[in-house]
Amino acid sequence: MLDATTRSGGTATATPRAAATELAVAVPAPELAVPAPVGLAARCTRVLLSPWSRLSLLIALLAGAASAVLLFEPQRLMADGWPPQLGGAAAALVFAVAYGLCTVAFVPRPLLNLGAGALFGSQLGVGSAIVGTVLGAGLAFGLGRILGQDALRPLLRGRWLKAADGQLSRHGFRSMLAARLFPGVPFWAANYCAAVSRMGYVPFLVATALGSIPNTAAYVVAGARASAPTSPAFLIAMAAIALPALVGAVLAWRKRHHLRGRQP
């Protein structure tokens, strides 16, 4: 039906209600957002980057490294002599890299330190062993932090585990310095425990370098003077090895007794 303006011959205009209706018809309603389907590649990436997948990769890498050590027996290089094409500082540097990789593969550091002394003597052997120690510790710490921390931290529920984690997280430098100075905690165990905690990377490396010097030097000197077991240098080195071990055992026993006394 025409409105009054149309009947009188004037220009026809639409009422506000009709204009609103036409606008509603002309402008389509916005479509509902539909989430894009997650592709297979995205799902696989999420699974591969999950904490437990990374922990499984860490375990596989460590198992492979340990198996390689058992199969190839790198200690034969110490028994048969270092490759003749290397010598001096270059040989010591290569040995330091091999030292670090071997510590990640659970080769005991005392054997490596004795080998460094037998191959390079006291001075060059100590430098090579310290560099290898810091390199191996840093590599193990990085692997543990990237591949294992997210999966293992939720499992720190026991009293002893929480106490160790809190000690390393709040007093990382001095705790790691004590662990390196007084043997008792295996080298690889200290590395991965520190990686799972919230300890910083730089304090870990500095404490490892400083705390490893006395024990490492003692073993290297013992290896360098092994042909003269009655020499003063060899006897002093053996005393330097035995004394920190004894002090560490006493401190561990006293700490254990103290913790037992505080248990309800």
Side-chain angles (χ1 to χ4, degrees):
M1 179 182 296
L2 298 177
D3 55 16
T5 308
T6 304
R7 286 197 303 268
S8 61
T11 304
T13 58
T15 62
R17 181 177 298 179
T21 303
E22 291 177 359
L23 181 61
V25 174
V27 179
E31 297 181 357
L32 296 177
V34 178
V38 180
L40 178 62
R43 289 197 298 269
C44 292
T45 302
R46 187 164 57 246
V47 171
L48 291 176
L49 295 180
S50 65
W52 286 103
S53 296
R54 285 181 283 154
L55 180 61
S56 301
L57 176 60
L58 175 62
I59 295 174
L61 289 174
L62 296 180
S67 301
V69 169
L70 294 177
L71 290 175
F72 295 103
E73 300 179 356
Q75 65 272 15
R76 290 182 300 177
L77 291 175
M78 301 179 188
D80 302 335
W82 198 249
Q85 62 270 21
L86 295 176
L93 181 59
V94 173
F95 181 85
V97 175
Y99 185 115
L101 295 177
C102 287
T103 58
V104 177
F106 309 111
V107 176
R109 286 182 61 249
L111 295 178
L112 297 172
N113 293 332
L114 291 172
L119 290 172
F120 306 109
S122 299
Q123 297 181 355
L124 195 57
V126 169
S128 178
I130 292 297
V131 171
T133 296
V134 176
L135 178 63
L139 182 58
F141 186 90
L143 288 174
R145 178 61 57 89
I146 296 172
L147 299 179
Q149 186 187 48
D150 292 340
L152 294 178
R153 281 202 65 82
L155 303 180
L156 301 177
R157 299 174 182 174
R159 178 177 180 178
W160 289 87
L161 293 177
K162 286 184 177 180
D165 175 67
Q167 184 70 19
L168 288 172
S169 299
R170 293 190 299 269
H171 312 290
F173 177 81
R174 70 184 187 188
S175 299
M176 188 54 55
L177 186 64
R180 302 306 193 194
L181 284 173
F182 303 108
V185 180
F187 183 74
W188 61 269
N191 294 337
Y192 292 112
C193 287
V196 174
S197 73
R198 301 192 185 279
M199 183 179 181
Y201 195 79
V202 173
F204 170 79
L205 291 180
V206 176
T208 296
L210 295 178
S212 299
I213 291 175
N215 188 263
T216 301
Y219 274 101
V220 171
V221 172
R225 300 303 179 98
S227 59
T230 58
S231 64
F234 182 84
L235 295 177
I236 293 174
M238 295 305 297
I241 293 172
L243 184 60
L246 179 61
V247 173
V250 172
L251 291 177
W253 177 260
R254 293 186 61 181
K255 187 67 175 179
R256 176 173 175 268
H257 179 72
H258 178 69
L259 289 177
R260 277 190 171 184
R262 294 182 59 183
Q263 286 182 357

